[in-house]
Short mmCIF file of all heavy atoms in Angstrom, two decimals:
data_model
loop_
_atom_site.label_atom_id
_atom_site.label_comp_id
_atom_site.label_asym_id
_atom_site.label_seq_id
_atom_site.Cartn_x
_atom_site.Cartn_y
_atom_site.Cartn_z
N ALA A 7 -55.45 9.10 65.85
CA ALA A 7 -55.14 9.19 64.40
C ALA A 7 -56.07 10.19 63.76
O ALA A 7 -57.25 10.23 64.09
CB ALA A 7 -55.25 7.82 63.75
N GLY A 8 -55.52 10.97 62.83
CA GLY A 8 -56.26 12.04 62.19
C GLY A 8 -55.99 13.31 62.92
O GLY A 8 -56.14 13.41 64.12
N SER A 9 -55.49 14.32 62.21
CA SER A 9 -55.10 15.57 62.84
C SER A 9 -55.33 16.77 61.96
O SER A 9 -55.28 16.67 60.73
CB SER A 9 -53.61 15.50 63.25
OG SER A 9 -52.80 15.19 62.18
N VAL A 10 -55.61 17.89 62.61
CA VAL A 10 -55.78 19.19 61.96
C VAL A 10 -55.10 20.24 62.83
O VAL A 10 -54.83 20.03 63.99
CB VAL A 10 -57.29 19.55 61.78
CG1 VAL A 10 -57.96 18.63 60.79
CG2 VAL A 10 -58.01 19.52 63.15
N PRO A 11 -54.81 21.42 62.24
CA PRO A 11 -54.16 22.46 63.04
C PRO A 11 -55.09 23.04 64.08
O PRO A 11 -56.33 22.89 64.03
CB PRO A 11 -53.81 23.52 61.98
CG PRO A 11 -53.97 22.89 60.65
CD PRO A 11 -54.99 21.80 60.86
N ARG A 12 -54.53 23.77 65.04
CA ARG A 12 -55.29 24.61 65.94
C ARG A 12 -55.66 25.90 65.20
O ARG A 12 -54.94 26.38 64.34
CB ARG A 12 -54.49 24.96 67.20
CG ARG A 12 -54.21 23.80 68.11
CD ARG A 12 -55.48 23.26 68.76
NE ARG A 12 -56.31 24.21 69.44
CZ ARG A 12 -56.16 24.49 70.76
NH1 ARG A 12 -55.29 23.86 71.48
NH2 ARG A 12 -56.97 25.36 71.34
N GLY A 13 -56.77 26.50 65.57
CA GLY A 13 -57.15 27.79 65.04
C GLY A 13 -56.68 28.91 65.93
O GLY A 13 -56.21 28.69 67.07
N ASP A 14 -56.84 30.13 65.46
CA ASP A 14 -56.47 31.31 66.26
C ASP A 14 -57.53 31.60 67.31
O ASP A 14 -57.26 32.30 68.29
CB ASP A 14 -56.28 32.53 65.36
CG ASP A 14 -55.07 32.39 64.45
OD1 ASP A 14 -54.12 31.71 64.84
OD2 ASP A 14 -55.09 32.96 63.35
N THR A 15 -58.74 31.11 67.12
CA THR A 15 -59.83 31.30 68.05
C THR A 15 -60.55 29.97 68.31
O THR A 15 -60.34 28.99 67.56
CB THR A 15 -60.86 32.30 67.50
OG1 THR A 15 -61.50 31.73 66.36
CG2 THR A 15 -60.18 33.63 67.15
N SER A 16 -61.35 29.95 69.34
CA SER A 16 -62.10 28.71 69.62
C SER A 16 -63.05 28.36 68.49
O SER A 16 -63.28 27.19 68.20
CB SER A 16 -62.87 28.86 70.93
OG SER A 16 -63.80 29.95 70.87
N THR A 17 -63.58 29.38 67.81
CA THR A 17 -64.45 29.15 66.69
C THR A 17 -63.70 28.44 65.54
O THR A 17 -64.19 27.53 64.91
CB THR A 17 -65.07 30.46 66.19
OG1 THR A 17 -65.80 31.08 67.24
CG2 THR A 17 -65.99 30.23 64.99
N GLU A 18 -62.46 28.92 65.26
CA GLU A 18 -61.66 28.27 64.26
C GLU A 18 -61.28 26.88 64.66
O GLU A 18 -61.22 25.95 63.82
CB GLU A 18 -60.43 29.14 63.97
CG GLU A 18 -60.71 30.46 63.27
CD GLU A 18 -59.44 31.26 62.99
OE1 GLU A 18 -58.33 30.71 63.26
OE2 GLU A 18 -59.56 32.40 62.56
N ASP A 19 -60.94 26.69 65.95
CA ASP A 19 -60.66 25.36 66.46
C ASP A 19 -61.83 24.40 66.10
O ASP A 19 -61.62 23.30 65.58
CB ASP A 19 -60.51 25.36 67.97
CG ASP A 19 -59.04 25.51 68.40
OD1 ASP A 19 -58.18 25.49 67.51
OD2 ASP A 19 -58.81 25.67 69.59
N GLU A 20 -63.02 24.80 66.44
CA GLU A 20 -64.20 23.96 66.22
C GLU A 20 -64.44 23.73 64.72
O GLU A 20 -64.87 22.63 64.33
CB GLU A 20 -65.43 24.59 66.86
CG GLU A 20 -65.41 24.53 68.38
CD GLU A 20 -65.32 23.09 68.87
OE1 GLU A 20 -65.93 22.19 68.27
OE2 GLU A 20 -64.61 22.87 69.88
N ALA A 21 -64.14 24.72 63.90
CA ALA A 21 -64.32 24.56 62.44
C ALA A 21 -63.40 23.48 61.93
O ALA A 21 -63.76 22.60 61.13
CB ALA A 21 -64.09 25.86 61.73
N HIS A 22 -62.13 23.47 62.39
CA HIS A 22 -61.19 22.43 62.00
C HIS A 22 -61.67 21.05 62.46
O HIS A 22 -61.58 20.07 61.72
CB HIS A 22 -59.82 22.73 62.61
CG HIS A 22 -59.08 23.83 61.92
ND1 HIS A 22 -58.87 23.90 60.55
CD2 HIS A 22 -58.45 24.92 62.43
CE1 HIS A 22 -58.16 24.96 60.27
NE2 HIS A 22 -57.92 25.61 61.38
N VAL A 23 -62.14 21.00 63.71
CA VAL A 23 -62.61 19.73 64.25
C VAL A 23 -63.82 19.20 63.49
O VAL A 23 -63.89 18.00 63.16
CB VAL A 23 -62.94 19.88 65.77
CG1 VAL A 23 -63.74 18.66 66.24
CG2 VAL A 23 -61.68 20.05 66.57
N GLU A 24 -64.77 20.06 63.19
CA GLU A 24 -65.93 19.62 62.45
C GLU A 24 -65.60 19.12 61.06
O GLU A 24 -66.17 18.15 60.57
CB GLU A 24 -66.94 20.77 62.35
CG GLU A 24 -67.65 21.07 63.67
CD GLU A 24 -68.30 19.83 64.29
OE1 GLU A 24 -69.01 19.10 63.55
OE2 GLU A 24 -68.06 19.57 65.49
N ARG A 25 -64.61 19.76 60.43
CA ARG A 25 -64.15 19.25 59.14
C ARG A 25 -63.55 17.86 59.31
O ARG A 25 -63.81 17.00 58.44
CB ARG A 25 -63.10 20.23 58.58
CG ARG A 25 -62.43 19.73 57.29
CD ARG A 25 -61.57 20.81 56.69
NE ARG A 25 -60.44 21.19 57.53
CZ ARG A 25 -59.25 20.54 57.49
NH1 ARG A 25 -59.10 19.48 56.67
NH2 ARG A 25 -58.27 20.94 58.25
N MET A 26 -62.80 17.64 60.38
CA MET A 26 -62.20 16.33 60.60
C MET A 26 -63.26 15.26 60.91
O MET A 26 -63.17 14.15 60.40
CB MET A 26 -61.16 16.46 61.73
CG MET A 26 -60.35 15.20 61.96
SD MET A 26 -58.88 15.47 62.97
CE MET A 26 -59.56 16.30 64.43
N ARG A 27 -64.23 15.65 61.70
CA ARG A 27 -65.29 14.68 62.05
C ARG A 27 -66.11 14.27 60.82
O ARG A 27 -66.54 13.13 60.72
CB ARG A 27 -66.23 15.29 63.08
CG ARG A 27 -65.64 15.40 64.49
CD ARG A 27 -66.76 15.79 65.45
NE ARG A 27 -66.30 16.17 66.77
CZ ARG A 27 -66.01 15.30 67.74
NH1 ARG A 27 -66.12 14.01 67.48
NH2 ARG A 27 -65.64 15.72 68.93
N ALA A 28 -66.31 15.24 59.90
CA ALA A 28 -67.19 14.98 58.76
C ALA A 28 -66.44 14.38 57.54
O ALA A 28 -67.08 13.89 56.62
CB ALA A 28 -67.87 16.29 58.33
N ASP A 29 -65.13 14.40 57.58
CA ASP A 29 -64.33 13.99 56.44
C ASP A 29 -64.17 12.49 56.40
O ASP A 29 -63.70 11.89 57.38
CB ASP A 29 -62.97 14.69 56.50
CG ASP A 29 -62.18 14.47 55.21
OD1 ASP A 29 -61.66 13.37 55.00
OD2 ASP A 29 -62.08 15.43 54.41
N ALA A 30 -64.53 11.85 55.30
CA ALA A 30 -64.44 10.38 55.18
C ALA A 30 -63.00 9.90 55.30
O ALA A 30 -62.74 8.83 55.86
CB ALA A 30 -65.06 9.93 53.86
N LYS A 31 -62.05 10.66 54.76
CA LYS A 31 -60.65 10.24 54.83
C LYS A 31 -60.14 10.18 56.27
O LYS A 31 -59.52 9.22 56.70
CB LYS A 31 -59.79 11.21 53.99
CG LYS A 31 -58.30 10.89 53.98
CD LYS A 31 -57.52 11.89 54.75
CE LYS A 31 -56.06 11.66 54.67
NZ LYS A 31 -55.24 12.50 55.56
N PHE A 32 -60.47 11.23 57.05
CA PHE A 32 -60.06 11.22 58.46
C PHE A 32 -60.72 10.07 59.24
O PHE A 32 -60.09 9.39 60.04
CB PHE A 32 -60.44 12.56 59.12
CG PHE A 32 -59.50 13.69 58.78
CD1 PHE A 32 -59.99 14.78 58.05
CD2 PHE A 32 -58.21 13.68 59.18
CE1 PHE A 32 -59.15 15.85 57.75
CE2 PHE A 32 -57.35 14.74 58.88
CZ PHE A 32 -57.84 15.81 58.19
N GLN A 33 -62.00 9.88 59.01
CA GLN A 33 -62.74 8.85 59.73
C GLN A 33 -62.25 7.45 59.35
O GLN A 33 -62.18 6.56 60.21
CB GLN A 33 -64.24 8.99 59.49
CG GLN A 33 -64.86 10.22 60.14
CD GLN A 33 -64.69 10.26 61.65
OE1 GLN A 33 -64.73 9.20 62.33
NE2 GLN A 33 -64.48 11.44 62.22
N GLN A 34 -61.91 7.27 58.08
CA GLN A 34 -61.38 5.97 57.66
C GLN A 34 -60.06 5.68 58.36
O GLN A 34 -59.80 4.61 58.87
CB GLN A 34 -61.20 5.92 56.16
CG GLN A 34 -60.62 4.56 55.69
CD GLN A 34 -60.08 4.61 54.29
OE1 GLN A 34 -59.87 5.71 53.72
NE2 GLN A 34 -59.79 3.45 53.69
N GLU A 35 -59.19 6.69 58.33
CA GLU A 35 -57.86 6.54 58.95
C GLU A 35 -58.00 6.20 60.44
O GLU A 35 -57.31 5.30 60.96
CB GLU A 35 -57.05 7.83 58.77
CG GLU A 35 -55.66 7.80 59.41
CD GLU A 35 -54.94 9.10 59.28
OE1 GLU A 35 -55.48 10.05 58.64
OE2 GLU A 35 -53.82 9.23 59.84
N HIS A 36 -58.86 6.93 61.13
CA HIS A 36 -59.06 6.70 62.55
C HIS A 36 -59.72 5.35 62.82
O HIS A 36 -59.30 4.60 63.71
CB HIS A 36 -59.90 7.82 63.16
CG HIS A 36 -59.98 7.78 64.63
ND1 HIS A 36 -58.97 8.26 65.45
CD2 HIS A 36 -60.92 7.28 65.49
CE1 HIS A 36 -59.32 8.07 66.72
NE2 HIS A 36 -60.47 7.49 66.77
N GLY A 37 -60.69 5.01 62.03
CA GLY A 37 -61.40 3.74 62.20
C GLY A 37 -60.51 2.54 62.04
O GLY A 37 -60.65 1.51 62.74
N LEU A 38 -59.55 2.60 61.11
CA LEU A 38 -58.61 1.52 60.92
C LEU A 38 -57.80 1.27 62.21
O LEU A 38 -57.50 0.13 62.57
CB LEU A 38 -57.65 1.82 59.76
CG LEU A 38 -58.27 1.75 58.35
CD1 LEU A 38 -57.25 2.26 57.32
CD2 LEU A 38 -58.69 0.33 58.01
N VAL A 39 -57.42 2.34 62.88
CA VAL A 39 -56.64 2.19 64.11
C VAL A 39 -57.50 1.57 65.22
O VAL A 39 -57.04 0.67 65.91
CB VAL A 39 -56.08 3.56 64.56
CG1 VAL A 39 -55.32 3.42 65.85
CG2 VAL A 39 -55.19 4.16 63.47
N VAL A 40 -58.69 2.08 65.37
CA VAL A 40 -59.61 1.54 66.43
C VAL A 40 -59.85 0.04 66.19
O VAL A 40 -59.75 -0.76 67.11
CB VAL A 40 -60.96 2.31 66.41
CG1 VAL A 40 -61.96 1.63 67.34
CG2 VAL A 40 -60.73 3.74 66.82
N ASP A 41 -60.16 -0.33 64.93
CA ASP A 41 -60.46 -1.74 64.62
C ASP A 41 -59.22 -2.63 64.87
O ASP A 41 -59.38 -3.75 65.40
CB ASP A 41 -60.89 -1.86 63.15
CG ASP A 41 -62.27 -1.24 62.90
OD1 ASP A 41 -62.96 -0.97 63.88
OD2 ASP A 41 -62.57 -0.99 61.72
N ALA A 42 -58.05 -2.15 64.51
CA ALA A 42 -56.87 -2.94 64.70
C ALA A 42 -56.55 -3.17 66.18
O ALA A 42 -56.20 -4.29 66.60
CB ALA A 42 -55.66 -2.28 64.02
N ILE A 43 -56.69 -2.14 67.00
CA ILE A 43 -56.42 -2.28 68.42
C ILE A 43 -57.42 -3.25 69.04
O ILE A 43 -57.04 -4.13 69.87
CB ILE A 43 -56.48 -0.89 69.13
CG1 ILE A 43 -55.31 -0.04 68.67
CG2 ILE A 43 -56.44 -1.09 70.64
CD1 ILE A 43 -55.33 1.38 69.21
N ARG A 44 -58.68 -3.12 68.64
CA ARG A 44 -59.71 -4.05 69.14
C ARG A 44 -59.35 -5.50 68.78
O ARG A 44 -59.41 -6.39 69.64
CB ARG A 44 -61.07 -3.68 68.56
CG ARG A 44 -62.19 -4.59 69.07
CD ARG A 44 -63.44 -4.42 68.24
NE ARG A 44 -64.11 -3.12 68.46
CZ ARG A 44 -64.20 -2.17 67.54
NH1 ARG A 44 -63.68 -2.38 66.34
NH2 ARG A 44 -64.83 -1.05 67.81
N GLU A 45 -58.93 -5.74 67.57
CA GLU A 45 -58.55 -7.07 67.14
C GLU A 45 -57.31 -7.58 67.85
O GLU A 45 -57.23 -8.78 68.16
CB GLU A 45 -58.36 -7.10 65.63
CG GLU A 45 -59.66 -6.86 64.82
CD GLU A 45 -59.39 -6.70 63.33
OE1 GLU A 45 -58.22 -6.85 62.93
OE2 GLU A 45 -60.35 -6.39 62.57
N GLN A 46 -56.34 -6.71 68.08
CA GLN A 46 -55.14 -7.13 68.73
C GLN A 46 -55.32 -7.45 70.20
O GLN A 46 -54.66 -8.36 70.75
CB GLN A 46 -54.07 -6.03 68.58
CG GLN A 46 -53.55 -5.89 67.15
CD GLN A 46 -52.92 -4.53 66.86
OE1 GLN A 46 -53.24 -3.54 67.54
NE2 GLN A 46 -52.03 -4.50 65.92
#
């Protein structure tokens, strides 16, 4: 859960990923999925 586009270069790829890792909205969305699977 949580997605961003691919970049044209590996540097752009990593920039998208770092934005996703640091973004509270992405981390909240992903964390909800992890917690639910653990509980289930």
Side-chain angles (χ1 to χ4, degrees):
S9 54
V10 291
R12 293 294 305 268
D14 293 331
T15 66
S16 58
T17 301
E18 291 181 6
D19 266 354
E20 288 302 321
H22 286 308
V23 167
E24 287 307 312
R25 175 171 64 87
M26 186 165 53
R27 288 189 189 278
D29 189 285
K31 181 249 185 189
F32 283 115
Q33 291 299 326
Q34 179 197 13
E35 179 184 356
H36 189 80
L38 288 172
V39 179
V40 173
D41 291 343
I43 293 175
R44 182 193 289 114
E45 293 172 4
Q46 290 160 334

